[in-house]
Amino acid sequence: MKAAVTAERNALSSRIDPRFGRARWFVVVDTETGEVEAHDNRSAAGAEHGAGPQAAQRLVELGARALITG
């Protein structure tokens, strides 16, 4: 399963970003393989409107089934 974490930087050791739609990064962890990927959320974070739905769509595209956020 892939789980996403909202993050302030592009590393698993980063602090969790308390925002969802405007988080700077999503760090996605595959809980079966341990693989970690960082994905830039700049396009949604900088959106004037609809940051949350855009970020949610991105996580669906990345295959995330769980989310950890502030």
Side-chain angles (χ1 to χ4, degrees):
M1 177 182 80
K2 290 186 177 182
V5 180
T6 57
E8 293 179 354
R9 288 192 236 152
N10 64 344
L12 188 58
S13 61
S14 173
R15 292 182 56 176
I16 291 176
D17 193 319
R19 305 164 298 169
F20 168 61
R22 299 202 185 279
R24 180 65 172 86
W25 294 91
F26 292 126
V27 177
V28 179
V29 180
D30 187 316
T31 60
E32 294 176 18
T33 66
E35 181 180 353
V36 177
E37 300 174 339
H39 298 274
D40 192 333
N41 187 41
R42 187 177 343 182
S43 62
E48 189 170 324
H49 300 287
Q54 287 181 44
Q57 180 61 41
R58 178 73 171 136
L59 290 181
V60 168
E61 292 168 0
L62 294 172
R65 304 279 299 180
L67 172 66
I68 299 170
T69 188

